[in-house]
Amino acid sequence: MALGDRHILGYEVLGRGDFEGLPENVNELFQLAEPIGAEVDLSLLLRRRSVATCGTLDGEYCYFLNTHPAELVDDALVPSLREARDKWPDLRIAVEIHEASVTDPASIRELQNELSELDMLLVYDDFGAGQARLLELADVPPAYLKFDRSLIHQIDSAPAARVRLLEALVKMALELGIEIIAEGIERQEEVDRCRDLGFGWGQGFLFAKPKPGEEHSGRRLPPALDIP
């Protein structure tokens, strides 16, 4: 969501388990899948279902889809995205890659080229959660960069050192022409400070908690946001 005029850019698509005897929480599902090497299959299934759902919703929104780090060393990611594009040619899709997975600029550049051919956007997620991949960020700038909530939480009252760090990272991203998103916003004070720092976009519980789409007068719509 735009931190200025509250324009809705799009929605991050989140999954929930719906299998008898298995947890609903996706992280717990992946913990069960990883020992048997099924995390890629689980991620593909979740994304396939996500795209099918988003493709039926009204409105011109961009849908941000998650990936699992294991998919970046697997050959199923791009074919699955190509399948999604074939089925939903007009759906606006952004593909999120966790910052920790951005370790090989050549591979990420190749993925970015593939996404461009599919008319999809590359997004780096959770930036700043661990080691900020500054070299890779400069070599292969994404369309969007999501700053981790650890940098955003209570930024309005944060120590000066953390504010200076965030200012420097924001300045660098903007100079690279990257659209930046502040994650984990829960308070209006964080909105105000992030906007002052240069953030154009934000997401978090202040705007809405995860919830399913809605149906009104026969139309399927994304969930309504709690815009303050």
Side-chain angles (χ1 to χ4, degrees):
M1 174 178 294
L3 296 185
D5 62 8
R6 299 299 197 264
H7 168 72
I8 299 175
L9 168 67
Y11 293 82
E12 180 175 355
V13 185
L14 304 175
R16 289 291 183 270
D18 188 22
F19 306 96
E20 185 176 353
L22 294 176
E24 291 186 1
N25 184 278
V26 167
N27 291 332
E28 293 179 18
L29 287 174
F30 275 109
Q31 289 174 6
L32 293 174
E34 288 177 7
I36 59 174
E39 63 268 37
V40 171
D41 291 334
L42 177 57
S43 186
L44 291 172
L45 173 62
L46 289 167
R47 193 164 51 250
R48 189 176 293 116
R49 293 291 299 272
S50 297
V51 171
T53 298
C54 295
T56 66
L57 300 177
D58 288 351
E60 296 296 323
Y61 301 109
C62 184
Y63 294 98
F64 290 71
L65 306 178
N66 290 290
T67 60
H68 189 277
E71 292 185 271
L72 297 186
V73 293
D74 186 273
D75 59 2
L77 175 59
V78 172
S80 74
L81 296 172
R82 189 173 294 117
E83 173 188 324
R85 177 54 75 213
D86 289 342
K87 291 184 177 180
W88 306 99
D90 299 322
L91 191 64
R92 295 173 60 194
I93 294 175
V95 179
E96 297 193 12
I97 306 297
H98 191 278
E99 180 204 58
S101 302
V102 186
T103 57
D104 179 8
S107 296
I108 298 301
R109 186 177 296 109
E110 182 178 351
L111 174 60
Q112 186 180 53
N113 291 336
E114 297 273 10
L115 292 178
S116 179
E117 290 180 7
L118 294 172
D119 194 24
M120 298 180 183
L121 301 174
L122 177 65
V123 181
Y124 293 165
D125 190 23
D126 295 331
F127 183 71
Q131 177 183 355
R133 303 288 180 177
L134 302 182
L135 178 60
E136 291 82 355
L137 182 68
D139 283 350
V140 193
Y144 291 94
L145 181 65
K146 288 189 171 186
F147 280 72
D148 188 72
R149 61 174 294 120
S150 63
L151 290 173
I152 305 302
H153 181 62
Q154 295 186 347
I155 189 60
D156 54 298
S157 59
R162 176 149 70 94
V163 175
R164 287 197 299 270
L165 171 63
L166 188 55
E167 285 178 331
L169 294 173
V170 165
K171 182 175 183 293
M172 179 186 63
L174 293 177
E175 288 178 348
L176 290 170
I178 301 170
E179 295 278 355
I180 55 175
I181 301 173
E183 292 189 294
I185 292 178
E186 298 183 354
R187 299 161 48 249
Q188 182 61 42
E189 291 83 358
E190 292 167 338
V191 170
D192 297 338
R193 192 69 180 99
C194 284
R195 189 173 59 239
D196 292 343
L197 288 169
F199 282 93
W201 306 96
Q203 69 176 69
F205 285 176
L206 178 66
F207 308 123
K209 294 184 178 180
K211 51 188 174 181
E214 304 172 351
E215 188 165 339
H216 295 286
S217 303
R219 298 176 62 209
R220 287 180 52 79
L221 303 170
L225 300 188
D226 305 319
I227 302 176

